[in-house]
Amino acid sequence: MLLTLLGVAAYAVGGVVLFATAHRDRPLITRLPPLAMGASAVLMAAPLVVG
């Protein structure tokens, strides 16, 4: 379980880094998918933490 949570955390951080380092001149809609994928991975792992 710990390995899964570490993987999810790394995936979420990677999504935030991609969002933050994307070119600012690009529209938000093209920078949003990595952030959304990281958030969805965190939400899918939430039952592991809660239950």
Side-chain angles (χ1 to χ4, degrees), residues 1-11 45 47-49:
M1 182 172 84
L2 181 62
L3 185 60
T4 301
L5 293 177
L6 285 173
V8 167
Y11 192 79
L48 291 175
V49 176

Side-chain angles (χ1 to χ4, degrees), residues 3-48:
L3 185 60
T4 301
L5 293 177
L6 285 173
V8 167
Y11 192 79
V13 168
V16 170
V17 168
L18 281 174
F19 178 77
T21 59
H23 296 286
R24 300 280 184 226
D25 57 345
R26 298 171 85 185
L28 179 64
I29 195 72
T30 61
R31 295 184 294 151
L32 202 55
L35 188 63
M37 290 187 308
S40 67
V42 169
L43 288 174
M44 286 185 284
L48 291 175

